[in-house]
Amino acid sequence: MVTALYPGSFDPVTVGHVDIVTRAAKQFEKLVVAVYDTPSKDLLFDTDERDQLMKDACRHIPNVEVTRFSGLVVRYAKDIGAGVIVRGLRSGSDFEYEFDMAFMNRRLEPDVDLVCFMTSQDYMFVSASLLKEVAKLGGDITEMVPPNVAQAVYTKFGLPVEEV
Ligand code: ADP
């Protein structure tokens, strides 16, 4: 059985992330989606919240398990028996980042490989960091996130969803 690991900050989960989960879950027997505990970026949601939002968003996909991790992603992959790390690509700049990271990860753990899935064209512009900026200013993010997430984001910024 091939287990794949899709790690990320997921702050919060977007329709782009769910698109990658859906694509990867079709290709691997088991997909572990892992919320990174301590990314080096400012977070809107804590780990419990990001984990719960992701669980709600992926509940309909049977071979997906949502969990969380800290430390090196390749070490976590080894710990759970995942031979593949999944990432999503929107653009050339995503590719550049993943390319560098993949070679570093291979140096650290030669047995774990990277598989990248291209996002749907509809989601190329969807970015968790940008949509938080938009929501903060009262813009409409409802098409960029799963239904449970928009309310959670607006609540963080003190905006009732019906006012947006
Ligand atoms: P990171 O893990 O780098 O902190 P994210 O949590 O935002 O960043 O993203 C996790 C993974 O999902 C990364 O591989 C990223 O490229 C990918 N991703 C982000 N947004 C999208 C999108 N709209 N479509 C497809 N993949 C995406």
Side-chain angles (χ1 to χ4, degrees):
M1 181 169 106
V2 179
T3 298
L5 169 67
Y6 180 30
S9 312
F10 306 122
D11 183 46
V13 51
T14 69
V15 287
H17 297 137
V18 176
D19 181 57
I20 299 302
V21 172
T22 307
R23 289 174 191 285
K26 283 187 196 147
Q27 302 302 329
F28 301 106
E29 277 115 328
K30 181 175 171 190
L31 179 70
V32 176
V33 179
V35 176
Y36 185 33
D37 218 351
T38 50
S40 54
K41 44 169 112 168
D42 288 339
L43 293 170
L44 183 62
F45 294 97
D46 67 24
T47 311
D48 283 344
E49 293 169 323
R50 288 180 288 132
D51 181 46
Q52 192 58 54
L53 291 173
M54 183 59 93
K55 282 192 167 91
D56 293 342
C58 296
R59 210 173 288 288
H60 61 290
I61 315 173
N63 58 331
V64 170
E65 182 191 327
V66 177
T67 175
R68 59 181 70 189
F69 78 107
S70 49
L72 284 175
V73 68
V74 280
R75 194 169 294 153
Y76 182 65
K78 276 293 239 194
D79 287 349
I80 63 167
V84 172
I85 291 174
V86 165
R87 297 282 287 174
L89 295 181
R90 288 163 292 187
S91 62
S93 56
D94 276 352
F95 173 76
E96 296 280 329
Y97 178 77
E98 298 302 337
F99 188 77
D100 289 347
M101 186 64 83
F103 280 108
M104 176 59 82
N105 282 341
R106 184 171 287 167
R107 184 59 64 97
L108 295 168
E109 189 46 74
D111 294 339
V112 176
D113 258 303
L114 172 74
V115 172
C116 290
F117 290 85
M118 306 280 284
T119 188
S120 303
Q121 274 181 322
D122 288 348
Y123 304 144
M124 279 178 69
F125 73 100
V126 175
S127 138
S129 44
L130 273 181
L131 74 82
K132 284 181 282 189
E133 291 295 313
V134 169
K136 194 175 175 179
L137 300 169
D140 185 1
I141 59 159
T142 48
E143 288 185 358
M144 302 173 209
V145 290
N148 60 315
V149 176
Q151 177 74 69
V153 174
Y154 289 125
T155 302
K156 282 278 178 196
F157 292 122
L159 296 167
V161 73
E162 53 280 2
E163 275 183 22
V164 177

